[in-house]
Amino acid sequence: MDVHWRFIPAARNSYAALYAACEQEGYILEPVRTPAPDVTCYSLNSLNAQNYLHEIAAADCLTIVGGPHATALPEEVAEYADYVIVGEGEFTLPRLLRDIQAGGEGKIPGVMTGGWYKPQNSCVRLDAFPAFSEIKGYVEITRGCPFSCGYCQTPRIFGHCMRHRSVDEIVRYTGRHQQARFVSPNAFAYGSDGIHPRWNKVEALLKACKNQ
């Protein structure tokens, strides 16, 4: 089964992370500028979603749509996409691809399809998935946020519990390039619950990166 990734500049880091996650399971997300058989995947935000609505609806292949917009408005996206991934994709996307390849209907937790939906029953442990592989991306060091700001989707997508990539894993990925960027809802929250900073954890991370 051929699986493609619709290249969208705003989704470059999502591509890097999901490329690596799918690669572990034997699926290579080949980048394309137009939908291509057998499956084309999209990651949309609410600023660009309208630009791809008609393309997805008219695609001559199976379409999988995830990202912040799909998580916020899955019912809307399900009107024109075959499958909608709600929430994190590293575990759900490869699982959905396996189900499709096996002839299933894609009715797995975290996926909306044909009016069917069941929430995800697990969350991603960052160390279980590579930050990136062949496609360079940022190093996501933390996910989640304990707060509930009305303008922010972070807790809705990733939950209120802070999860952190280990120092050893972060150092392993930062060492691959001369320059590395970290992604975190709150950089000073590394190693903490997101409310009470643990400066020793932040200091240990920075020292480890400096000394590599």
Side-chain angles (χ1 to χ4, degrees):
M1 182 174 72
D2 294 327
V3 184
H4 300 88
W5 178 273
R6 177 61 163 91
F7 177 77
I8 298 172
R12 282 191 296 261
N13 203 59
S14 294
Y15 179 39
L18 292 173
Y19 182 99
C22 289
E23 184 182 40
Q24 288 192 140
E25 301 297 325
Y27 297 103
I28 301 299
L29 303 182
E30 295 290 348
V32 292
R33 299 281 180 172
T34 57
D38 300 303
V39 179
T40 299
C41 305
Y42 292 74
S43 179
L44 304 179
N45 62 45
S46 295
L47 296 178
N48 64 26
Q50 291 299 315
N51 299 335
Y52 300 96
L53 186 159
H54 297 296
E55 175 183 300
I56 296 169
D60 190 22
C61 63
L62 292 177
T63 54
I64 300 173
V65 180
H69 186 72
T71 296
L73 298 170
E75 294 88 355
E76 174 193 292
V77 178
E79 292 180 2
Y80 55 86
D82 295 303
Y83 304 97
V84 181
I85 292 181
V86 182
E88 299 174 303
E90 286 93 339
F91 177 72
T92 305
L93 179 55
R95 188 179 180 187
L96 174 59
L97 293 174
R98 285 197 302 271
D99 188 77
I100 293 171
Q101 189 171 24
E105 298 179 338
K107 293 182 177 180
I108 63 174
V111 175
M112 179 175 288
T113 179
W116 184 93
Y117 175 66
K118 183 178 180 180
Q120 291 184 2
N121 53 9
S122 63
C123 63
V124 168
R125 184 170 63 86
L126 293 183
D127 276 0
F129 294 92
F132 54 82
S133 59
E134 297 299 320
I135 310 299
K136 181 187 176 184
Y138 302 150
V139 181
E140 188 176 16
I141 63 173
T142 299
R143 272 191 191 173
C145 180
F147 303 107
S148 298
C149 301
Y151 58 83
C152 180
Q153 273 194 269
T154 294
R156 179 169 181 173
I157 299 174
F158 301 126
H160 291 278
C161 180
M162 301 290 283
R163 289 166 281 152
H164 309 281
R165 198 180 298 274
S166 68
V167 170
D168 288 345
E169 284 295 293
I170 294 170
V171 169
R172 185 158 73 92
Y173 286 101
T174 57
R176 294 187 181 185
H177 301 280
Q178 288 185 331
Q179 294 183 338
R181 293 187 180 184
F182 293 160
V183 173
S184 171
N186 179 346
F188 292 132
Y190 180 75
S192 76
D193 61 3
I195 300 174
H196 308 95
R198 298 183 65 182
W199 301 115
N200 61 317
K201 297 289 186 179
V202 177
E203 184 178 5
L205 170 61
L206 296 178
K207 281 185 176 179
C209 292
K210 180 181 179 181
N211 294 333
Q212 65 172 315

